[in-house]
Every structure is written in structure tokens, then in C-alpha cells.
Amino acid sequence: MAQVSTSHRGNALNYSSIRKLLPYAKKAIESGVKVIKLNIGDPDLKTPKEFLNVLQNWDIDPIRYAQPAGEPELIKALLSYYHDCGYIDLSAEDIIVTIGGSEALSMAMFAVADIGDEILVPEPFFANYSILASQLSIKLVPIPTSIKNGFRLPNKKKIMGLINERTKAVLYSSPGNPTGTTYNEKEITMLLEIAKEKGIYLISDEVYREFIFSDDKHVSLVPYMNKYPNNLIMLDSFSKRYNLCGARLGMLVSKSEKVKDIVLRLANGRLSGGLIDQMMGAALKDVPKKHFVNSTKELKKRRDVVINNLKKIKGVKTYVPDGAFYLMVELPIKDAEDFSRFLLEEFRIDNTTVMLAPGKGFYLTKNKGINEIRIAYVVNSAELKKAIDIIGKGLEAYTG
Amino acid sequence: MAQVSTSHRGNALNYSSIRKLLPYAKKAIESGVKVIKLNIGDPDLKTPKEFLNVLQNWDIDPIRYAQPAGEPELIKALLSYYHDCGYIDLSAEDIIVTIGGSEALSMAMFAVADIGDEILVPEPFFANYSILASQLSIKLVPIPTSIKNGFRLPNKKKIMGLINERTKAVLYSSPGNPTGTTYNEKEITMLLEIAKEKGIYLISDEVYREFIFSDDKHVSLVPYMNKYPNNLIMLDSFSKRYNLCGARLGMLVSKSEKVKDIVLRLANGRLSGGLIDQMMGAALKDVPKKHFVNSTKELKKRRDVVINNLKKIKGVKTYVPDGAFYLMVELPIKDAEDFSRFLLEEFRIDNTTVMLAPGKGFYLTKNKGINEIRIAYVVNSAELKKAIDIIGKGLEAYTG
């Protein structure tokens, strides 16, 4: 009887590094310890009631397939949202609704890159970029950035030096996960020049687009799509913006006919996204603009609480990010993963501890980010203050 | 300025062949013609109210991520359903919830096959198998079957002859789409022997498992999983069974630890399925068993209406399928796609026409199925009778 085996590419897929800590967190919680979770980007704010109302008033029966590229009502609402953002040249056919931002990313990468092709991405980056690229046998090539200057992009020459004949795109998130770093117009313009000169794509992950804390506006790729119709793809999602993580509602926006044609074939291949999620998303038209004013104000307050309290801890280095709800922190120790485990296993204040995301999970380059952590400020200010205090006292206990 | 290009694999993806007819159907409808749609498997029956009640009573806020492998409540309800089916050895950890049957299929193929590997599949088969395999650079190799004997499987020797060192699995659907053909225990046992002897996987698509019209029970792979834990994967979905096509609720069931490990990594890569769909699916526990009794009775009635009326048309050949809600029909003409277009463009009775799925869309082998159509009996008996009458009179007009 012959032996049966699984695929090499399947066995090459990584789990996220956060996963390693889960058993320790579970054990702590089961033993009655309170764990403040700063490790994942699942915001605690409420879903706007306009969306929930759609469920409570549901009347479509049977729950039929949705249109492969998205329900027209949802696309209409999205178009209106983007027009309000000032992207007046966008049309309904430039928007394809996907099953979460994850699917939008996967489809975009598939559309531009073949097996063995390369996509540049500023490092550190969202760990799932790696997993999705690896599924598609695409090689991600890091553009190095550093906590020392708040993870700004390097200059054009340095980026150009990373491009070869297999490079098909630069993928980036701004405001960034895990950094919160928000690229300014100068940085985006540089990337546009590179894409144009080298004949490659820019793929922007803009899911944190509304969470900007400076006076500068978010610099989106969309307004540049008329000038560079063939080079640009924007990825977006309802998840973070409307506290709708579990509604799998992503969008791929492009004016490239060739890209959209491939993405539509992919969308046909999986038949339909979720009809309920999409009809719920269409209520976007009823959500008041002040939703973002309130949530951004709250997030900015939290960011400041985190930074002001981190400043009190000796040897900790960070910076002031302009967006999203993350920041990276350098700790005065060798191994932040070991420290994170220490917090979960051994260290408590008032029977409370903290779960962190080890920085190295956001780096593809070996030995980078080992002494860094990512903090997601997805709990309220009082909890955050307590959490940072635990990190500070925990560092003393860990190193002392 | 360099030219930007899309991926070769993207451009190699096919659209479904049904797509070609859509503009003609649209034009007919816009001109006021009634089009009876027998071309897609989107059932017209209602969604059980137990599911819709979950929406109307929704109280989870915010809409958080679902567990990557599925919400525990849903898995519990599924386990109970499978236990009721008699699969008493199944455990909760053998079930992974996916975003529709499509994702379950894609994940299963990824887990067992590398780039360039082969998967055997009885032909004709569901067109999306091709699209999903092509996305993964997996080669589907047809196992030829024929309308002459109702698309039964060929003998063991013939199937063994198609297997080489790159063959990783046999994938099949039973009851089948597009044939309605339902494999008996002898056929399944043969496939099990082949899998065992050759060290390959069997992947069964059982989404039509409850729609069986003979006295024989559905033969599932699940009861064999204890004996062959490393070779078997079962794919399932709520879509057809509960008229929930737009709720993307699929399942992958296996006892292979290696397969489940890879599938879990894939599930982590896309973070979460839809929370709302999954919580709705958990209401499965409240759906009365007679749901299937009623819908199967209705489908059997429709099947008989289709077959009895097809018999009246000269030169038409078909067979009596035992399950699902499809059958293939051989027409006494050369090109069934051209005939389908003719119906949509030119032929009407009482200002009504019919939309069919051309058979060749379900064949990978060139020049096969050209004179066949698939009928999905997803409209009521009166409409079906009218539709078959239109096909018969249409054939006279087309050939006359």
C-alpha cells in the first residue's frame, strides 16, 4: 500500500507567530488571570447601528448568490463614499467587492505576478501578506525601514536597486500595519515614479485610510488612477473602519482593464461573496460622517496614552505614528517573544497581564525585529495605561 | 516608460461558458421576453425560517472576526447533523468551516497537490473545478464517462491507467453536478481501493448529499474515514441543501492530520469566514428533518416532469439520474451552444423562451459535450413543462 503525502507548498506555509503565544494566553485565562490583549487588530468599538439594522430588518428569501463582483447596491454606496473622499473620477466598474481585504490582496497579487515573481514590500509588514504570497508562490522582497526614523521609506535609489526583471509590484499599507506610519505625498509620488519608470504595479492597502491623527490628509492612490490607469491597484475593507471584522467585505479598486478582467475571472471562480454581508455593507450610505470623527478622536487619545506611558519606561524606544491603531516598540531586551511569553506565564499585577505581538512576526528578514513588539491600541485608555504599566514593571522583573 | 503586464496564469483562467450567453439573455429580458432560467443551480425554494430568525434577532456587536476554522457553535451543530447521518466516529476537530464549498475545494486541492500535479475527475464536471484548479496550477485529468450509460464510472483498470507519479487525487461529486448521477457503494469501494493502492487522495464533493430520489442511501466517504484516515477528504456546503447559496458556508471534513494542518494554515491566512453566515448556520440544529423530505419530494417531481416531457421530443437522449437537481441531455443537433443562443435571440412561445447551460462547458476534453445541454430543474413543475415544450418546438424550428 502506497504512502499518501501532502503538498510541499502546503507544508511551506507559516502560521502567524502570534499563534505560538496562544497556549500561554489560554492557560493564563483559564487560571483566572485577566489578559489585556494588545496583540490583535480587532477593535473593541461598536458596529454602527445602521449596519445592524439591515440584519434586524432582513427580508430577502431565499439567500441567493450575490453578484460575483459585488451587489450593485453595495457598489453604488461605495462609489458614493469614494466620491465623498474626493475621488470624483472613479466609476462603479472600477470597484470589485471581495471576501474581505484578504481576498482583495490575494486577487491583486495573482493578477500581477506569476509563480516565482517578486513583489517589494516595506518591512515590517502585516504577517498575512507573507502567507497569501506564499500560497501563490510569489516571493515577497523586503524594502528595509527602521524604527529609528519611524519606518519612513528609504530613498528612490535604494528601492530601485531592489527591482529586477521578476519584480512585478510594490505593495504597501498606509497608514501601516504594524507601524501606523502614514506615507506623505512625497513618498507616494516617489513610488508612482518608480512604478512608471519600471513598468510595475503599485498595490496600496488603505484599510486604515480614515484613521489619521495629523492635519495631513490620507494620500490615496485613487486620485492618481486617471494619470496611471495601468499601474495602480487600491485595496480596501470595511473591517477596521466600521468595526465589521467578521463581515468579510473587502474592495479592489483599479482602472486597469487587464487587472479587472483577471480579478473578475477569479471572482467567478468562487461564484459569490456573502449576500448578507454585502447587503449590510450597502447601509454605508446611511452611516453619518461623524462616525470617523468620533473613532479617530478616540484612537488618537489612545495613541497618546500609549506613547506618554511608554516614555516613562527606561530603555524603550518608539516614535509617533500618524495613523491606524498600531505602533512598534523597541524593548531594552534581547528577545521580545520570550518576554511576551514571560508576561503571559509568570508576570501579573493585580492578577492582570498583557498579551503582545512579537515584532519578528512582521519581518521576513531573519533576525530583524527580535527586540520589538507591536502594540494594537484596541482597548480603552484606562486599560491601556494599566497595560503599559505592566509592560514597564514586567521589564524590570524580566531583566532584574 | 516601461510597459506593465498582468500575469500569464491570470490570463489563462477561463470564464464559465454560460457567461457567453448572458448578453443574449439580458437583451431578451430587456425587450420584454420572459426567460425561464434552467442554466444555473440557484434553487428557487425558500431558506428555512430558522436561519432567517438568527438575522432578525441579531445581537452580537461589534461584528468580530469568526474563528479561522469556524465558530464553535456552528461546528457543534454540524457535528450533530453528521452524527444524525450515521457518521458516529466524526469529531469536532475533523470539521473545518470554509467560505463556501468553493473555498473547501480550493483548500483541499492546495493541500494535496503541488504546481503541475494532477487530479483525476470524472468528466463532465462542474466548470468551476477547472477554474479553481487552474488558479492553483494543478492539472485536472478527465476520467471519461458517457451519457449512454448515465455517466457511470468506468472500471478500475481504466481509472488506474490514468494514474501516474504526478497524480495526487481523484475528485468527484456525487450526486453529481452536472449529471445528477449518484455513485453506488460498489463504485465508491472501487475508488477507495484505487486510493489505497496508489497512495492518493479521494476528494468527494457531497453538497447534494440529501437530494437522492432512489431508495438507496447516499454513499458518503465519511464512514470510511476511520479505515482510511489519511486518504479521504469530504467537501460539503449549506448552499443547495438549505437554499443558502449567498451564505458562504462550506465545510471540509477529514481525519488526515496532515491535510487539516495545511487547511488550518490556509484558514489563518484569510483570518476569518463570515461571522453572520456562521452564526446563522448554527441554527442548523433547529431545522426540522422534514425540510429534506419536502424538498427532495419536490425535486423528484420536477425531475420526472423534465424526463417525461423530454421523452416526447424526437431525437433527444437522456437517462434517469438519482440525485441533485441536474441532468444532461443530448440534443439531435450539432451545436447546443448555438441552439441555446437561438432560443434566447429568436425563439419564443407566448413571448417566453428558455436559458440553457451548453454541455461543453462541463468538459475539459475538446469536442466533447458539444451536442449536450445541462438542465437545472430549479423552477416549479408548470414552468418546467413549459420550458421543455419550448425546447422541443425550438428544436423543430432550429432544424426545420
Side-chain angles (χ1 to χ4, degrees):
Chain A
M1 177 179 152
Q3 202 62 36
V4 63
S5 64
T6 42
S7 68
H8 298 294
R9 57 178 162 183
N11 289 297
L13 288 184
N14 287 320
Y15 276 112
S16 74
S17 67
I18 295 173
R19 209 184 147 83
K20 270 195 207 160
L21 293 174
L22 288 179
Y24 304 108
K26 202 179 162 204
K27 211 173 154 193
I29 292 165
E30 283 171 357
S31 73
V33 174
K34 183 180 168 189
V35 177
I36 304 176
K37 290 184 180 173
L38 306 184
N39 60 305
I40 48 164
D42 204 351
D44 62 319
L45 303 173
K46 293 289 181 189
T47 301
K49 67 177 189 315
E50 290 79 7
F51 295 117
L52 301 179
N53 286 346
V54 174
L55 302 181
Q56 283 142 3
N57 298 312
W58 188 264
D59 64 357
I60 303 178
D61 182 10
I63 311 267
R64 58 171 171 79
Y65 283 118
Q67 295 291 314
E71 285 294 299
E73 255 187 83
L74 171 55
I75 289 175
K76 198 178 152 194
L78 283 166
L79 188 63
S80 165
Y81 162 75
Y82 288 128
H83 283 175
D84 285 349
C85 291
Y87 316 152
I88 49 170
D89 292 322
L90 211 64
S91 311
E93 54 270 27
D94 301 330
I95 303 170
I96 296 169
V97 175
T98 61
I99 302 174
S102 301
E103 194 189 39
L105 175 63
S106 181
M107 286 176 163
M109 291 196 291
F110 183 94
V112 306
D114 277 300
I115 292 160
D117 281 347
E118 300 181 1
I119 293 178
L120 300 186
V121 51
E123 183 184 54
F125 55 85
F126 183 31
N128 286 54
Y129 287 7
S130 261
I131 301 179
L132 295 173
S134 168
Q135 284 177 28
L136 298 167
S137 302
I138 292 167
K139 188 181 168 192
L140 292 188
V141 175
I143 299 172
T145 70
S146 164
I147 196 168
K148 290 191 178 64
N149 68 347
F151 300 104
R152 307 311 314 181
L153 284 178
N155 64 34
K156 187 174 166 185
K157 199 180 152 195
K158 282 210 175 124
I159 298 175
M160 294 284 269
L162 296 167
I163 295 174
N164 62 47
E165 76 282 358
R166 300 228 60 169
T167 310
K168 300 299 174 184
V170 177
L171 162 68
Y172 68 88
S173 66
S174 175
N177 176 6
T179 62
T181 302
T182 303
Y183 297 149
N184 56 36
E185 201 161 348
K186 213 176 127 194
E187 284 165 301
I188 300 294
T189 306
M190 173 184 69
L191 292 175
L192 286 164
E193 281 171 16
I194 292 171
K196 194 177 102 178
E197 285 173 36
K198 291 288 187 177
I200 62 174
Y201 289 90
L202 284 190
I203 305 173
S204 66
D205 174 347
E206 303 186 8
V207 307
Y208 301 100
R209 54 168 45 247
E210 297 283 356
F211 302 143
I212 305 262
F213 314 133
S214 71
D215 292 335
D216 296 334
K217 266 183 70 177
H218 166 63
V219 184
S220 169
L221 283 189
V222 183
Y224 297 96
M225 286 187 181
N226 256 5
K227 192 170 174 196
Y228 307 97
N230 300 322
N231 298 76
L232 306 185
I233 303 172
M234 192 273 275
L235 312 175
D236 208 350
S237 164
F238 277 67
S239 293
K240 312 294 176 175
R241 205 140 79 216
Y242 303 106
N243 309 300
L244 275 173
C245 290
R248 306 309 286 146
L249 282 175
M251 293 82 84
L252 183 148
V253 176
S254 182
K255 283 195 177 284
S256 161
E257 295 304 327
K258 283 183 179 177
V259 166
K260 283 187 285 182
D261 181 53
I262 292 174
V263 170
L264 281 176
R265 295 188 222 188
L266 290 168
N268 271 287
R270 50 75 166 149
L271 304 174
S272 160
L275 179 73
I276 303 167
D277 292 351
Q278 292 192 15
M279 295 311 289
M280 186 173 72
L284 174 62
K285 65 182 191 307
D286 304 320
V287 178
K289 263 279 166 192
K290 79 170 188 333
H291 166 72
F292 294 122
V293 179
N294 295 343
S295 47
T296 305
K297 210 167 127 188
E298 169 66 19
L299 290 176
K300 187 181 181 185
K301 196 175 105 188
R302 292 178 181 183
R303 179 199 65 175
D304 294 340
V305 166
V306 172
I307 291 176
N308 291 334
N309 284 280
L310 282 173
K311 275 184 191 160
K312 298 176 192 163
I313 308 175
K314 211 182 133 191
V316 158
K317 284 180 197 154
T318 190
Y319 55 99
V320 182
D322 276 340
F325 39 69
Y326 305 107
L327 82 170
M328 295 289 283
V329 182
E330 189 184 301
L331 301 179
I333 50 168
K334 268 193 180 161
D335 183 344
E337 184 175 284
D338 189 66
F339 173 66
S340 303
R341 197 181 46 71
F342 164 79
L343 288 182
L344 289 172
E345 271 200 305
E346 301 180 34
F347 191 76
R348 286 102 179 81
I349 292 181
D350 297 337
N351 204 34
T352 304
T353 193
V354 174
M355 188 167 182
L356 300 167
K360 71 172 186 184
F362 304 99
Y363 288 84
L364 201 60
T365 308
K366 232 183 154 179
N367 296 326
K368 276 202 171 179
I370 308 280
N371 63 346
E372 296 174 6
I373 51 162
R374 184 192 72 177
I375 289 179
Y377 35 100
V378 292
V379 299
N380 67 43
S381 296
E383 292 269 285
L384 280 172
K385 199 168 174 308
K386 207 184 295 176
I388 307 299
D389 189 49
I390 290 168
I391 294 171
K393 299 237 168 53
L395 280 169
E396 281 172 32
Y398 182 78
T399 54
Chain B
M1 177 177 151
Q3 201 64 36
V4 62
S5 65
T6 41
S7 67
H8 298 294
R9 58 177 162 183
N11 288 298
L13 288 184
N14 287 319
Y15 276 113
S16 74
S17 67
I18 294 172
R19 210 184 146 84
K20 269 195 208 161
L21 293 173
L22 287 178
Y24 304 108
K26 203 180 161 202
K27 211 174 155 192
I29 292 165
E30 283 171 358
S31 73
V33 174
K34 184 181 167 188
V35 177
I36 304 176
K37 290 183 181 175
L38 306 184
N39 60 306
I40 47 164
D42 205 351
D44 63 318
L45 303 173
K46 293 289 180 190
T47 301
K49 67 175 188 317
E50 291 78 6
F51 294 116
L52 300 179
N53 287 345
V54 174
L55 303 182
Q56 284 142 1
N57 298 313
W58 188 263
D59 62 357
I60 302 177
D61 183 10
I63 311 267
R64 57 171 172 79
Y65 283 119
Q67 295 291 314
E71 285 293 299
E73 256 188 81
L74 171 56
I75 290 176
K76 197 178 153 194
L78 283 166
L79 188 63
S80 165
Y81 162 76
Y82 288 129
H83 283 176
D84 284 350
C85 291
Y87 315 152
I88 49 168
D89 291 322
L90 210 62
S91 312
E93 54 270 26
D94 301 330
I95 304 170
I96 296 168
V97 175
T98 61
I99 302 174
S102 300
E103 193 189 40
L105 175 62
S106 181
M107 286 177 163
M109 290 196 292
F110 184 94
V112 306
D114 278 299
I115 292 160
D117 281 347
E118 300 181 2
I119 293 177
L120 301 186
V121 51
E123 184 184 54
F125 56 85
F126 182 31
N128 286 54
Y129 287 6
S130 261
I131 302 179
L132 295 173
S134 169
Q135 284 178 29
L136 298 168
S137 301
I138 292 167
K139 189 181 168 194
L140 292 188
V141 175
I143 299 172
T145 71
S146 165
I147 196 168
K148 290 190 178 65
N149 68 347
F151 299 104
R152 309 308 315 179
L153 283 178
N155 64 32
K156 186 174 167 184
K157 200 181 152 194
K158 280 206 175 128
I159 297 176
M160 295 283 269
L162 296 168
I163 295 175
N164 62 47
E165 75 283 358
R166 299 228 60 170
T167 310
K168 301 298 175 183
V170 177
L171 162 70
Y172 67 89
S173 65
S174 174
N177 176 7
T179 61
T181 301
T182 303
Y183 298 149
N184 56 34
E185 199 160 350
K186 211 176 128 195
E187 283 164 302
I188 300 295
T189 304
M190 174 184 68
L191 291 176
L192 285 164
E193 281 171 14
I194 292 171
K196 194 177 99 177
E197 285 174 36
K198 291 288 186 178
I200 62 173
Y201 289 89
L202 284 191
I203 305 172
S204 66
D205 174 347
E206 303 186 8
V207 307
Y208 301 99
R209 53 165 50 246
E210 298 283 356
F211 302 142
I212 305 262
F213 313 132
S214 70
D215 292 336
D216 295 335
K217 268 185 70 178
H218 165 62
V219 184
S220 168
L221 283 189
V222 183
Y224 297 97
M225 285 187 181
N226 256 5
K227 193 171 173 195
Y228 307 97
N230 299 323
N231 298 75
L232 307 185
I233 303 172
M234 191 273 274
L235 313 175
D236 208 350
S237 164
F238 278 68
S239 293
K240 312 294 175 175
R241 204 140 78 216
Y242 302 108
N243 309 298
L244 275 173
C245 290
R248 306 308 286 147
L249 282 175
M251 292 82 84
L252 185 148
V253 175
S254 182
K255 283 195 178 283
S256 161
E257 295 304 327
K258 284 182 179 178
V259 166
K260 284 188 283 183
D261 181 53
I262 292 173
V263 171
L264 282 176
R265 295 188 222 189
L266 290 168
N268 270 287
R270 49 71 166 151
L271 304 173
S272 160
L275 179 72
I276 304 167
D277 292 352
Q278 292 193 14
M279 294 312 290
M280 185 173 71
L284 173 62
K285 65 181 190 307
D286 304 319
V287 178
K289 264 278 166 194
K290 79 172 187 334
H291 165 73
F292 294 122
V293 178
N294 296 342
S295 46
T296 305
K297 209 168 129 188
E298 169 65 19
L299 290 175
K300 187 181 181 184
K301 197 176 105 188
R302 292 178 182 184
R303 179 200 65 175
D304 293 340
V305 167
V306 172
I307 291 176
N308 292 333
N309 284 280
L310 282 172
K311 276 185 190 158
K312 298 174 192 164
I313 308 174
K314 211 183 133 190
V316 158
K317 283 179 196 152
T318 190
Y319 55 100
V320 182
D322 277 339
F325 39 70
Y326 305 106
L327 82 171
M328 295 289 283
V329 183
E330 188 184 301
L331 301 179
I333 50 168
K334 267 194 182 162
D335 184 345
E337 183 175 285
D338 189 66
F339 173 65
S340 303
R341 197 181 46 71
F342 164 80
L343 288 182
L344 290 172
E345 271 198 306
E346 301 179 34
F347 191 77
R348 286 103 180 78
I349 292 180
D350 298 337
N351 203 33
T352 303
T353 193
V354 174
M355 187 167 183
L356 299 167
K360 71 173 185 184
F362 303 99
Y363 288 84
L364 200 60
T365 308
K366 232 184 154 177
N367 297 324
K368 276 202 169 177
I370 309 281
N371 63 345
E372 296 174 5
I373 51 162
R374 184 194 71 176
I375 289 179
Y377 35 99
V378 292
V379 299
N380 66 43
S381 296
E383 292 270 284
L384 280 172
K385 199 170 172 313
K386 208 183 296 176
I388 307 298
D389 189 49
I390 289 169
I391 294 171
K393 300 234 166 54
L395 280 169
E396 282 171 31
Y398 182 79
T399 54

